[in-house]
Amino acid sequence: MEMFPQNSTDFILLGLIVHPTLPGLIFVVVFSIFLVAVIANVTMVLLIRVDPRLHTPMYFLLSQLSLMDTVYICVIVPKMLQDLLSEGRTISFLGCALQIFLYLTLIGGEFFLLGLMAYDRYVAVCSPLRYPVLMSRRVCMCMVLGSWLGGSLDGFMLTPITMSFPYCASREINHFFCEIPAVLRLSCVDTSLYETLMYACCVLMLLVPISIITVSYTRILITVHRMTSAEGRRKAWTTCSSHVLVVSIFYGAAFYTNVLPHSYHTPEKDKVVSAFYTILTPMLNPLIYSLRNRDVAAALRRTLGTCASPRRVRDRDTLRRS
């Protein structure tokens, strides 16, 4: 088989739909979701930074989740939008490697961060008096740094191995971005051993945050069950409900991608699931936390009110002078 030089070969991304009948409509839908996701996540980060009432460990971790989601969707969607409007749909070898590395780093970082956010909720509900000590600023910084490092470790391990395989004449990736399974289908050599090792690595990587989440929410449920106050139970549920919803959405897609055997996978199913957690999830996360969280909604109203006040003062001064 003819093989292309790995340092110069471009890959071709076939896209979410190989032959879309209405590419303009798909572009508008994806661009709208992308715009909402970026605005919502950036707003969440800025809101948590500027409002002193949100300077708590829970919201600090949430700001990091929004930051990851912002970078995450910007790694995938702009290239996808460009391909919808162009005929080439090519991505360079180095561009594909960079996309794989950033994707693995950010998806791995979110795995760990969501697990650590469950621990934060456990401390808040089960040990509220010790919360300032157990969730100190130093502990929060270590959690965030550990999440980023854990995700990047996954990227550093898997990206060089994936891109070291020889790729043959067919350069068409049946996907809308460089996801490892789709890229490996183009290899000239047998990659089954590597795929098995990668599968085991992903399962082990998922076990760590899932174990933290399972233990944390088991203890939370026991604590809530022992509460005699209905108000206390309501507050505990309000504290945890948004995180539970985000975890269910994110880990549900991750379970399909990384845990289910290959016999359950098809390129079409893989693309739909990938679109869900690369495009929709970054948009849903900040909306879930903002719409279901009174503190965030109140902070947004205060910030908008503060921004509107100087404008009203200027308008009154203008009317007086006129």
Side-chain angles (χ1 to χ4, degrees):
M1 281 189 173
E2 179 187 1
M3 290 191 298
F4 293 81
Q6 289 191 9
N7 59 356
S8 61
T9 299
D10 289 346
F11 293 104
I12 299 171
L13 296 169
L14 296 183
L16 180 61
I17 301 174
V18 177
H19 299 294
T21 55
L22 295 171
L25 178 61
I26 298 174
F27 177 89
V28 170
V29 172
V30 174
F31 179 74
S32 300
I33 295 173
F34 172 74
L35 199 62
V36 172
V38 172
I39 292 174
N41 281 293
V42 171
T43 301
M44 185 72 74
V45 173
L46 295 176
L47 200 62
I48 292 170
R49 184 173 181 83
V50 301
D51 195 305
R53 301 185 190 184
L54 300 183
H55 291 178
T56 64
M58 183 182 82
Y59 293 112
F60 174 69
L61 297 177
L62 178 57
S63 70
Q64 294 300 308
L65 179 65
S66 292
L67 180 61
M68 287 182 179
D69 280 337
T70 303
V71 180
Y72 185 39
I73 197 170
C74 289
V75 168
I76 306 297
V77 174
K79 174 60 180 169
M80 181 184 179
L81 292 172
Q82 179 188 348
D83 291 343
L84 284 169
L85 297 180
S86 64
E87 297 181 359
R89 297 189 176 188
T90 59
I91 184 169
S92 68
F93 181 86
L94 291 177
C96 189
L98 180 62
Q99 199 174 62
I100 289 175
F101 171 76
L102 292 174
Y103 158 75
L104 290 174
T105 297
L106 292 162
I107 200 82
E110 287 206 24
F111 283 155
F112 290 119
L113 186 63
L114 286 171
L116 294 171
M117 289 173 74
Y119 171 76
D120 168 72
R121 296 299 81 210
Y122 154 71
V123 176
V125 174
C126 301
S127 302
L129 297 179
R130 299 180 62 197
Y131 187 80
V133 177
L134 295 176
M135 292 299 298
S136 64
R137 181 173 180 81
R138 182 178 179 181
V139 172
C140 290
M141 293 300 295
C142 288
M143 285 181 170
V144 169
L145 186 60
S147 297
W148 283 99
L149 290 177
S152 62
L153 181 63
D154 194 31
F156 278 120
M157 285 194 305
L158 298 182
T159 304
I161 301 175
T162 301
M163 305 311 290
S164 66
F165 288 107
Y167 292 98
C168 302
S170 176
R171 295 173 295 148
E172 294 183 342
I173 300 174
N174 190 10
H175 216 300
F176 59 91
F177 75 102
C178 288
E179 193 171 37
I180 290 180
V183 175
L184 290 178
R185 294 189 188 104
L186 309 184
S187 178
C188 308
V189 298
D190 182 17
T191 61
S192 57
L193 177 60
Y194 171 59
E195 290 183 55
T196 301
L197 293 174
M198 185 176 65
Y199 173 82
C201 176
C202 291
V203 170
L204 289 173
M205 188 173 174
L206 278 170
L207 281 177
V208 176
I210 286 177
S211 299
I212 296 173
I213 292 170
T214 303
V215 172
S216 296
Y217 278 106
T218 300
R219 296 294 300 273
I220 288 172
L221 288 174
I222 293 172
T223 302
V224 171
H225 178 70
R226 292 173 178 172
M227 289 181 179
T228 57
S229 168
E231 180 66 17
R233 291 184 178 184
R234 187 193 64 79
K235 286 183 178 179
W237 170 245
T238 302
T239 300
C240 301
S241 58
S242 296
H243 182 257
V244 170
L245 187 56
V246 169
V247 164
S248 301
I249 293 172
F250 190 77
Y251 279 89
F255 181 85
Y256 170 86
T257 303
N258 299 295
V259 177
L260 285 183
H262 292 296
S263 57
Y264 289 88
H265 290 254
T266 65
E268 289 71 25
K269 287 181 182 178
D270 288 349
K271 286 192 285 186
V272 170
V273 175
S274 296
F276 180 79
Y277 67 77
T278 58
I279 302 172
L280 287 176
T281 300
M283 178 190 72
L284 292 175
N285 288 350
L287 295 181
I288 290 170
Y289 273 104
S290 61
L291 295 176
R292 296 174 60 87
N293 191 297
R294 294 180 181 178
D295 293 337
V296 174
L300 181 60
R301 287 194 296 268
R302 286 194 298 270
T303 303
L304 293 176
T306 302
C307 294
S309 295
R311 182 178 299 176
R312 287 196 293 267
V313 171
R314 287 195 299 269
D315 291 343
R316 284 198 299 268
D317 291 342
T318 303
L319 290 173
R320 289 171 182 173
R321 285 194 294 268
S322 61

